[in-house]
PDB file of all heavy atoms in Angstrom:
ATOM      1  N   GLY A 664      10.293 125.342 -61.131  1.00  0.00           N
ATOM      2  CA  GLY A 664      11.407 125.428 -60.204  1.00  0.00           C
ATOM      3  C   GLY A 664      12.225 124.134 -60.100  1.00  0.00           C
ATOM      4  O   GLY A 664      13.230 124.084 -59.374  1.00  0.00           O
ATOM      5  N   PHE A 665      11.836 123.035 -60.713  1.00  0.00           N
ATOM      6  CA  PHE A 665      12.628 121.798 -60.780  1.00  0.00           C
ATOM      7  C   PHE A 665      13.737 121.993 -61.659  1.00  0.00           C
ATOM      8  O   PHE A 665      13.723 122.762 -62.595  1.00  0.00           O
ATOM      9  CB  PHE A 665      11.728 120.657 -61.216  1.00  0.00           C
ATOM     10  CG  PHE A 665      10.625 120.267 -60.364  1.00  0.00           C
ATOM     11  CD1 PHE A 665       9.328 120.756 -60.591  1.00  0.00           C
ATOM     12  CD2 PHE A 665      10.786 119.401 -59.317  1.00  0.00           C
ATOM     13  CE1 PHE A 665       8.276 120.416 -59.792  1.00  0.00           C
ATOM     14  CE2 PHE A 665       9.716 119.058 -58.470  1.00  0.00           C
ATOM     15  CZ  PHE A 665       8.448 119.583 -58.718  1.00  0.00           C
ATOM     16  N   THR A 666      14.898 121.296 -61.389  1.00  0.00           N
ATOM     17  CA  THR A 666      16.067 121.443 -62.266  1.00  0.00           C
ATOM     18  C   THR A 666      15.963 120.466 -63.452  1.00  0.00           C
ATOM     19  O   THR A 666      16.499 120.790 -64.505  1.00  0.00           O
ATOM     20  CB  THR A 666      17.404 121.177 -61.532  1.00  0.00           C
ATOM     21  OG1 THR A 666      17.368 119.845 -60.953  1.00  0.00           O
ATOM     22  CG2 THR A 666      17.611 122.128 -60.399  1.00  0.00           C
ATOM     23  N   ASP A 667      15.267 119.382 -63.285  1.00  0.00           N
ATOM     24  CA  ASP A 667      15.029 118.406 -64.384  1.00  0.00           C
ATOM     25  C   ASP A 667      13.972 117.440 -63.951  1.00  0.00           C
ATOM     26  O   ASP A 667      13.438 117.459 -62.810  1.00  0.00           O
ATOM     27  CB  ASP A 667      16.286 117.652 -64.780  1.00  0.00           C
ATOM     28  CG  ASP A 667      16.881 116.843 -63.654  1.00  0.00           C
ATOM     29  OD1 ASP A 667      16.181 116.162 -62.903  1.00  0.00           O
ATOM     30  OD2 ASP A 667      18.120 116.876 -63.535  1.00  0.00           O
ATOM     31  N   LEU A 668      13.513 116.623 -64.920  1.00  0.00           N
ATOM     32  CA  LEU A 668      12.430 115.730 -64.681  1.00  0.00           C
ATOM     33  C   LEU A 668      12.659 114.684 -63.542  1.00  0.00           C
ATOM     34  O   LEU A 668      11.712 114.159 -62.958  1.00  0.00           O
ATOM     35  CB  LEU A 668      12.037 115.016 -65.972  1.00  0.00           C
ATOM     36  CG  LEU A 668      10.837 114.065 -65.972  1.00  0.00           C
ATOM     37  CD1 LEU A 668       9.565 114.804 -65.488  1.00  0.00           C
ATOM     38  CD2 LEU A 668      10.611 113.440 -67.248  1.00  0.00           C
ATOM     39  N   THR A 669      13.915 114.359 -63.292  1.00  0.00           N
ATOM     40  CA  THR A 669      14.225 113.371 -62.243  1.00  0.00           C
ATOM     41  C   THR A 669      13.749 113.778 -60.905  1.00  0.00           C
ATOM     42  O   THR A 669      13.522 112.988 -60.011  1.00  0.00           O
ATOM     43  CB  THR A 669      15.713 112.989 -62.169  1.00  0.00           C
ATOM     44  OG1 THR A 669      16.440 114.215 -61.818  1.00  0.00           O
ATOM     45  CG2 THR A 669      16.199 112.453 -63.527  1.00  0.00           C
ATOM     46  N   GLN A 670      13.531 115.131 -60.675  1.00  0.00           N
ATOM     47  CA  GLN A 670      13.104 115.597 -59.461  1.00  0.00           C
ATOM     48  C   GLN A 670      11.554 115.653 -59.271  1.00  0.00           C
ATOM     49  O   GLN A 670      11.030 115.819 -58.150  1.00  0.00           O
ATOM     50  CB  GLN A 670      13.595 117.043 -59.175  1.00  0.00           C
ATOM     51  CG  GLN A 670      15.121 117.120 -59.055  1.00  0.00           C
ATOM     52  CD  GLN A 670      15.541 118.540 -58.857  1.00  0.00           C
ATOM     53  OE1 GLN A 670      14.902 119.511 -59.291  1.00  0.00           O
ATOM     54  NE2 GLN A 670      16.646 118.729 -58.091  1.00  0.00           N
ATOM     55  N   ALA A 671      10.833 115.582 -60.392  1.00  0.00           N
ATOM     56  CA  ALA A 671       9.390 115.717 -60.335  1.00  0.00           C
ATOM     57  C   ALA A 671       8.705 114.379 -60.516  1.00  0.00           C
ATOM     58  O   ALA A 671       8.803 113.717 -61.521  1.00  0.00           O
ATOM     59  CB  ALA A 671       8.969 116.625 -61.465  1.00  0.00           C
ATOM     60  N   VAL A 672       7.911 113.944 -59.535  1.00  0.00           N
ATOM     61  CA  VAL A 672       7.110 112.790 -59.605  1.00  0.00           C
ATOM     62  C   VAL A 672       5.787 113.207 -60.312  1.00  0.00           C
ATOM     63  O   VAL A 672       4.970 113.930 -59.629  1.00  0.00           O
ATOM     64  CB  VAL A 672       6.830 112.160 -58.210  1.00  0.00           C
ATOM     65  CG1 VAL A 672       5.986 110.954 -58.334  1.00  0.00           C
ATOM     66  CG2 VAL A 672       8.159 111.801 -57.579  1.00  0.00           C
ATOM     67  N   ILE A 673       5.572 112.772 -61.473  1.00  0.00           N
ATOM     68  CA  ILE A 673       4.401 113.157 -62.286  1.00  0.00           C
ATOM     69  C   ILE A 673       3.240 112.179 -62.037  1.00  0.00           C
ATOM     70  O   ILE A 673       3.428 110.979 -62.079  1.00  0.00           O
ATOM     71  CB  ILE A 673       4.794 113.145 -63.759  1.00  0.00           C
ATOM     72  CG1 ILE A 673       5.970 114.002 -64.098  1.00  0.00           C
ATOM     73  CG2 ILE A 673       3.569 113.437 -64.687  1.00  0.00           C
ATOM     74  CD1 ILE A 673       5.739 115.468 -63.921  1.00  0.00           C
ATOM     75  N   TYR A 674       2.104 112.751 -61.821  1.00  0.00           N
ATOM     76  CA  TYR A 674       0.955 111.912 -61.665  1.00  0.00           C
ATOM     77  C   TYR A 674      -0.371 112.707 -62.010  1.00  0.00           C
ATOM     78  O   TYR A 674      -0.346 113.912 -62.040  1.00  0.00           O
ATOM     79  CB  TYR A 674       0.792 111.396 -60.196  1.00  0.00           C
ATOM     80  CG  TYR A 674       0.591 112.442 -59.150  1.00  0.00           C
ATOM     81  CD1 TYR A 674      -0.658 112.671 -58.598  1.00  0.00           C
ATOM     82  CD2 TYR A 674       1.616 113.264 -58.741  1.00  0.00           C
ATOM     83  CE1 TYR A 674      -0.825 113.618 -57.602  1.00  0.00           C
ATOM     84  CE2 TYR A 674       1.455 114.252 -57.766  1.00  0.00           C
ATOM     85  CZ  TYR A 674       0.202 114.424 -57.188  1.00  0.00           C
ATOM     86  OH  TYR A 674       0.028 115.373 -56.262  1.00  0.00           O
ATOM     87  N   LEU A 675      -1.390 111.938 -62.394  1.00  0.00           N
ATOM     88  CA  LEU A 675      -2.646 112.563 -62.825  1.00  0.00           C
ATOM     89  C   LEU A 675      -3.761 112.433 -61.770  1.00  0.00           C
ATOM     90  O   LEU A 675      -4.690 113.207 -61.815  1.00  0.00           O
ATOM     91  CB  LEU A 675      -3.179 111.895 -64.124  1.00  0.00           C
ATOM     92  CG  LEU A 675      -2.269 111.982 -65.315  1.00  0.00           C
ATOM     93  CD1 LEU A 675      -2.763 111.171 -66.515  1.00  0.00           C
ATOM     94  CD2 LEU A 675      -2.131 113.431 -65.739  1.00  0.00           C
ATOM     95  N   THR A 676      -3.601 111.478 -60.923  1.00  0.00           N
ATOM     96  CA  THR A 676      -4.634 111.261 -59.908  1.00  0.00           C
ATOM     97  C   THR A 676      -3.956 110.556 -58.774  1.00  0.00           C
ATOM     98  O   THR A 676      -2.823 110.082 -58.925  1.00  0.00           O
ATOM     99  CB  THR A 676      -5.809 110.369 -60.460  1.00  0.00           C
ATOM    100  OG1 THR A 676      -6.922 110.453 -59.540  1.00  0.00           O
ATOM    101  CG2 THR A 676      -5.480 108.983 -60.751  1.00  0.00           C
ATOM    102  N   SER A 677      -4.618 110.500 -57.627  1.00  0.00           N
ATOM    103  CA  SER A 677      -4.025 109.836 -56.435  1.00  0.00           C
ATOM    104  C   SER A 677      -5.129 109.271 -55.584  1.00  0.00           C
ATOM    105  O   SER A 677      -6.330 109.414 -55.877  1.00  0.00           O
ATOM    106  CB  SER A 677      -3.172 110.823 -55.704  1.00  0.00           C
ATOM    107  OG  SER A 677      -3.944 111.803 -54.976  1.00  0.00           O
ATOM    108  N   HIS A 678      -4.713 108.731 -54.447  1.00  0.00           N
ATOM    109  CA  HIS A 678      -5.708 108.217 -53.531  1.00  0.00           C
ATOM    110  C   HIS A 678      -6.359 109.377 -52.751  1.00  0.00           C
ATOM    111  O   HIS A 678      -7.375 109.181 -52.109  1.00  0.00           O
ATOM    112  CB  HIS A 678      -5.042 107.182 -52.550  1.00  0.00           C
ATOM    113  CG  HIS A 678      -4.013 107.776 -51.663  1.00  0.00           C
ATOM    114  ND1 HIS A 678      -2.752 107.865 -52.142  1.00  0.00           N
ATOM    115  CD2 HIS A 678      -4.058 108.249 -50.453  1.00  0.00           C
ATOM    116  CE1 HIS A 678      -2.019 108.399 -51.166  1.00  0.00           C
ATOM    117  NE2 HIS A 678      -2.771 108.662 -50.122  1.00  0.00           N
ATOM    118  N   ASP A 679      -5.716 110.546 -52.730  1.00  0.00           N
ATOM    119  CA  ASP A 679      -6.249 111.687 -52.026  1.00  0.00           C
ATOM    120  C   ASP A 679      -7.255 112.398 -53.003  1.00  0.00           C
ATOM    121  O   ASP A 679      -6.851 113.083 -53.861  1.00  0.00           O
ATOM    122  CB  ASP A 679      -5.179 112.687 -51.701  1.00  0.00           C
ATOM    123  CG  ASP A 679      -4.184 112.092 -50.730  1.00  0.00           C
ATOM    124  OD1 ASP A 679      -4.617 111.342 -49.808  1.00  0.00           O
ATOM    125  OD2 ASP A 679      -2.988 112.452 -50.790  1.00  0.00           O
ATOM    126  N   VAL A 680      -8.539 112.089 -52.893  1.00  0.00           N
ATOM    127  CA  VAL A 680      -9.476 112.531 -53.843  1.00  0.00           C
ATOM    128  C   VAL A 680     -10.538 113.517 -53.243  1.00  0.00           C
ATOM    129  O   VAL A 680     -11.579 113.782 -53.840  1.00  0.00           O
ATOM    130  CB  VAL A 680     -10.313 111.341 -54.499  1.00  0.00           C
ATOM    131  CG1 VAL A 680      -9.294 110.503 -55.346  1.00  0.00           C
ATOM    132  CG2 VAL A 680     -10.899 110.481 -53.459  1.00  0.00           C
ATOM    133  N   GLY A 681     -10.216 114.136 -52.179  1.00  0.00           N
ATOM    134  CA  GLY A 681     -11.151 115.091 -51.575  1.00  0.00           C
ATOM    135  C   GLY A 681     -10.895 116.506 -52.129  1.00  0.00           C
ATOM    136  O   GLY A 681      -9.793 116.846 -52.487  1.00  0.00           O
ATOM    137  N   GLY A 682     -11.961 117.217 -52.271  1.00  0.00           N
ATOM    138  CA  GLY A 682     -11.859 118.572 -52.713  1.00  0.00           C
ATOM    139  C   GLY A 682     -12.113 118.893 -54.150  1.00  0.00           C
ATOM    140  O   GLY A 682     -12.100 117.976 -54.961  1.00  0.00           O
ATOM    141  N   PHE A 683     -12.298 120.142 -54.399  1.00  0.00           N
ATOM    142  CA  PHE A 683     -12.649 120.674 -55.776  1.00  0.00           C
ATOM    143  C   PHE A 683     -11.461 120.337 -56.764  1.00  0.00           C
ATOM    144  O   PHE A 683     -10.346 120.590 -56.479  1.00  0.00           O
ATOM    145  CB  PHE A 683     -12.834 122.144 -55.694  1.00  0.00           C
ATOM    146  CG  PHE A 683     -13.237 122.755 -57.026  1.00  0.00           C
ATOM    147  CD1 PHE A 683     -14.435 122.459 -57.625  1.00  0.00           C
ATOM    148  CD2 PHE A 683     -12.337 123.696 -57.590  1.00  0.00           C
ATOM    149  CE1 PHE A 683     -14.756 123.030 -58.849  1.00  0.00           C
ATOM    150  CE2 PHE A 683     -12.657 124.305 -58.818  1.00  0.00           C
ATOM    151  CZ  PHE A 683     -13.851 124.002 -59.439  1.00  0.00           C
ATOM    152  N   ARG A 684     -11.829 119.812 -57.896  1.00  0.00           N
ATOM    153  CA  ARG A 684     -10.923 119.428 -59.010  1.00  0.00           C
ATOM    154  C   ARG A 684      -9.883 118.380 -58.588  1.00  0.00           C
ATOM    155  O   ARG A 684      -8.796 118.374 -59.114  1.00  0.00           O
ATOM    156  CB  ARG A 684     -10.252 120.686 -59.588  1.00  0.00           C
ATOM    157  CG  ARG A 684     -11.251 121.633 -60.242  1.00  0.00           C
ATOM    158  CD  ARG A 684     -10.529 122.819 -60.886  1.00  0.00           C
ATOM    159  NE  ARG A 684      -9.789 122.398 -62.098  1.00  0.00           N
ATOM    160  CZ  ARG A 684     -10.320 122.418 -63.270  1.00  0.00           C
ATOM    161  NH1 ARG A 684     -11.590 122.761 -63.481  1.00  0.00           N
ATOM    162  NH2 ARG A 684      -9.621 121.982 -64.319  1.00  0.00           N
ATOM    163  N   ASN A 685     -10.212 117.591 -57.574  1.00  0.00           N
ATOM    164  CA  ASN A 685      -9.307 116.645 -57.077  1.00  0.00           C
ATOM    165  C   ASN A 685      -9.799 115.184 -57.099  1.00  0.00           C
ATOM    166  O   ASN A 685      -9.245 114.290 -56.501  1.00  0.00           O
ATOM    167  CB  ASN A 685      -8.860 116.998 -55.646  1.00  0.00           C
ATOM    168  CG  ASN A 685      -7.497 116.436 -55.272  1.00  0.00           C
ATOM    169  OD1 ASN A 685      -6.597 116.318 -56.125  1.00  0.00           O
ATOM    170  ND2 ASN A 685      -7.334 116.061 -54.022  1.00  0.00           N
ATOM    171  N   GLU A 686     -10.870 115.018 -57.853  1.00  0.00           N
ATOM    172  CA  GLU A 686     -11.498 113.686 -57.938  1.00  0.00           C
ATOM    173  C   GLU A 686     -10.634 112.742 -58.752  1.00  0.00           C
ATOM    174  O   GLU A 686      -9.700 113.200 -59.397  1.00  0.00           O
ATOM    175  CB  GLU A 686     -12.845 113.790 -58.674  1.00  0.00           C
ATOM    176  CG  GLU A 686     -13.838 114.799 -58.137  1.00  0.00           C
ATOM    177  CD  GLU A 686     -13.753 116.153 -58.793  1.00  0.00           C
ATOM    178  OE1 GLU A 686     -12.838 116.371 -59.661  1.00  0.00           O
ATOM    179  OE2 GLU A 686     -14.560 117.022 -58.406  1.00  0.00           O
ATOM    180  N   ARG A 687     -10.940 111.518 -58.730  1.00  0.00           N
ATOM    181  CA  ARG A 687     -10.203 110.561 -59.617  1.00  0.00           C
ATOM    182  C   ARG A 687     -10.440 111.058 -61.045  1.00  0.00           C
ATOM    183  O   ARG A 687     -11.405 111.687 -61.330  1.00  0.00           O
ATOM    184  CB  ARG A 687     -10.748 109.133 -59.395  1.00  0.00           C
ATOM    185  CG  ARG A 687     -10.557 108.610 -58.024  1.00  0.00           C
ATOM    186  CD  ARG A 687     -10.582 107.080 -57.987  1.00  0.00           C
ATOM    187  NE  ARG A 687     -10.555 106.592 -56.691  1.00  0.00           N
ATOM    188  CZ  ARG A 687      -9.493 106.525 -55.904  1.00  0.00           C
ATOM    189  NH1 ARG A 687      -8.373 106.979 -56.299  1.00  0.00           N
ATOM    190  NH2 ARG A 687      -9.576 106.065 -54.653  1.00  0.00           N
ATOM    191  N   LEU A 688      -9.460 110.785 -61.882  1.00  0.00           N
ATOM    192  CA  LEU A 688      -9.447 111.376 -63.215  1.00  0.00           C
ATOM    193  C   LEU A 688     -10.709 111.116 -64.019  1.00  0.00           C
ATOM    194  O   LEU A 688     -11.305 112.023 -64.563  1.00  0.00           O
ATOM    195  CB  LEU A 688      -8.230 110.888 -64.002  1.00  0.00           C
ATOM    196  CG  LEU A 688      -8.024 111.574 -65.378  1.00  0.00           C
ATOM    197  CD1 LEU A 688      -7.890 113.037 -65.249  1.00  0.00           C
ATOM    198  CD2 LEU A 688      -6.792 110.952 -66.052  1.00  0.00           C
ATOM    199  N   TYR A 689     -11.148 109.889 -64.037  1.00  0.00           N
ATOM    200  CA  TYR A 689     -12.376 109.571 -64.767  1.00  0.00           C
ATOM    201  C   TYR A 689     -13.574 110.381 -64.241  1.00  0.00           C
ATOM    202  O   TYR A 689     -14.351 111.017 -64.982  1.00  0.00           O
ATOM    203  CB  TYR A 689     -12.688 108.062 -64.689  1.00  0.00           C
ATOM    204  CG  TYR A 689     -13.971 107.703 -65.373  1.00  0.00           C
ATOM    205  CD1 TYR A 689     -14.014 107.473 -66.712  1.00  0.00           C
ATOM    206  CD2 TYR A 689     -15.157 107.588 -64.662  1.00  0.00           C
ATOM    207  CE1 TYR A 689     -15.233 107.161 -67.377  1.00  0.00           C
ATOM    208  CE2 TYR A 689     -16.352 107.283 -65.273  1.00  0.00           C
ATOM    209  CZ  TYR A 689     -16.344 107.068 -66.627  1.00  0.00           C
ATOM    210  OH  TYR A 689     -17.543 106.724 -67.316  1.00  0.00           O
ATOM    211  N   ASN A 690     -13.738 110.380 -62.907  1.00  0.00           N
ATOM    212  CA  ASN A 690     -14.862 111.107 -62.280  1.00  0.00           C
ATOM    213  C   ASN A 690     -14.743 112.626 -62.564  1.00  0.00           C
ATOM    214  O   ASN A 690     -15.746 113.327 -62.771  1.00  0.00           O
ATOM    215  CB  ASN A 690     -14.882 110.863 -60.770  1.00  0.00           C
ATOM    216  CG  ASN A 690     -15.221 109.396 -60.463  1.00  0.00           C
ATOM    217  OD1 ASN A 690     -15.714 108.667 -61.325  1.00  0.00           O
ATOM    218  ND2 ASN A 690     -14.910 109.015 -59.237  1.00  0.00           N
ATOM    219  N   PHE A 691     -13.527 113.136 -62.499  1.00  0.00           N
ATOM    220  CA  PHE A 691     -13.298 114.501 -62.844  1.00  0.00           C
ATOM    221  C   PHE A 691     -13.733 114.860 -64.238  1.00  0.00           C
ATOM    222  O   PHE A 691     -14.466 115.873 -64.453  1.00  0.00           O
ATOM    223  CB  PHE A 691     -11.767 114.924 -62.709  1.00  0.00           C
ATOM    224  CG  PHE A 691     -11.491 116.207 -63.236  1.00  0.00           C
ATOM    225  CD1 PHE A 691     -11.779 117.443 -62.561  1.00  0.00           C
ATOM    226  CD2 PHE A 691     -10.823 116.353 -64.426  1.00  0.00           C
ATOM    227  CE1 PHE A 691     -11.549 118.663 -63.131  1.00  0.00           C
ATOM    228  CE2 PHE A 691     -10.499 117.579 -64.957  1.00  0.00           C
ATOM    229  CZ  PHE A 691     -10.841 118.710 -64.319  1.00  0.00           C
ATOM    230  N   LEU A 692     -13.349 114.112 -65.225  1.00  0.00           N
ATOM    231  CA  LEU A 692     -13.720 114.394 -66.594  1.00  0.00           C
ATOM    232  C   LEU A 692     -15.271 114.243 -66.750  1.00  0.00           C
ATOM    233  O   LEU A 692     -15.847 115.141 -67.437  1.00  0.00           O
ATOM    234  CB  LEU A 692     -13.034 113.441 -67.561  1.00  0.00           C
ATOM    235  CG  LEU A 692     -11.545 113.622 -67.679  1.00  0.00           C
ATOM    236  CD1 LEU A 692     -10.887 112.468 -68.440  1.00  0.00           C
ATOM    237  CD2 LEU A 692     -11.165 114.950 -68.206  1.00  0.00           C
ATOM    238  N   VAL A 693     -15.883 113.278 -66.141  1.00  0.00           N
ATOM    239  CA  VAL A 693     -17.363 113.182 -66.262  1.00  0.00           C
ATOM    240  C   VAL A 693     -18.019 114.388 -65.599  1.00  0.00           C
ATOM    241  O   VAL A 693     -18.924 114.963 -66.132  1.00  0.00           O
ATOM    242  CB  VAL A 693     -17.833 111.884 -65.584  1.00  0.00           C
ATOM    243  CG1 VAL A 693     -19.348 111.856 -65.436  1.00  0.00           C
ATOM    244  CG2 VAL A 693     -17.378 110.681 -66.428  1.00  0.00           C
ATOM    245  N   SER A 694     -17.487 114.865 -64.438  1.00  0.00           N
ATOM    246  CA  SER A 694     -18.073 116.042 -63.792  1.00  0.00           C
ATOM    247  C   SER A 694     -17.937 117.290 -64.587  1.00  0.00           C
ATOM    248  O   SER A 694     -18.649 118.275 -64.387  1.00  0.00           O
ATOM    249  CB  SER A 694     -17.466 116.230 -62.388  1.00  0.00           C
ATOM    250  OG  SER A 694     -16.134 116.757 -62.483  1.00  0.00           O
ATOM    251  N   GLN A 695     -16.932 117.338 -65.515  1.00  0.00           N
ATOM    252  CA  GLN A 695     -16.690 118.481 -66.379  1.00  0.00           C
ATOM    253  C   GLN A 695     -17.487 118.370 -67.704  1.00  0.00           C
ATOM    254  O   GLN A 695     -17.345 119.129 -68.603  1.00  0.00           O
ATOM    255  CB  GLN A 695     -15.268 118.552 -66.735  1.00  0.00           C
ATOM    256  CG  GLN A 695     -14.344 118.815 -65.559  1.00  0.00           C
ATOM    257  CD  GLN A 695     -14.681 120.167 -64.915  1.00  0.00           C
ATOM    258  OE1 GLN A 695     -14.612 121.219 -65.571  1.00  0.00           O
ATOM    259  NE2 GLN A 695     -14.983 120.160 -63.594  1.00  0.00           N
ATOM    260  N   GLY A 696     -18.382 117.305 -67.787  1.00  0.00           N
ATOM    261  CA  GLY A 696     -19.240 117.152 -68.907  1.00  0.00           C
ATOM    262  C   GLY A 696     -18.599 116.544 -70.139  1.00  0.00           C
ATOM    263  O   GLY A 696     -19.036 116.695 -71.289  1.00  0.00           O
TER     264      GLY A 696
END
């Protein structure tokens, strides 16, 4: 639904790390084996 990339702030991880599949990226990958 974005009109172009200037509207979308792209990120892989954040300081909000609570919840399922929301861990820091490294921890997420390790938890996925």
Side-chain angles (χ1 to χ4, degrees):
F665 294 94
T666 59
D667 60 43
L668 183 57
T669 63
Q670 294 182 329
V672 178
I673 303 296
Y674 64 105
L675 298 174
T676 192
S677 73
H678 65 274
D679 298 324
V680 293
F683 180 66
R684 297 184 70 90
N685 204 34
E686 308 89 357
R687 297 202 188 284
L688 185 58
Y689 177 85
N690 295 342
F691 167 75
L692 293 172
V693 170
S694 74
Q695 297 296 305

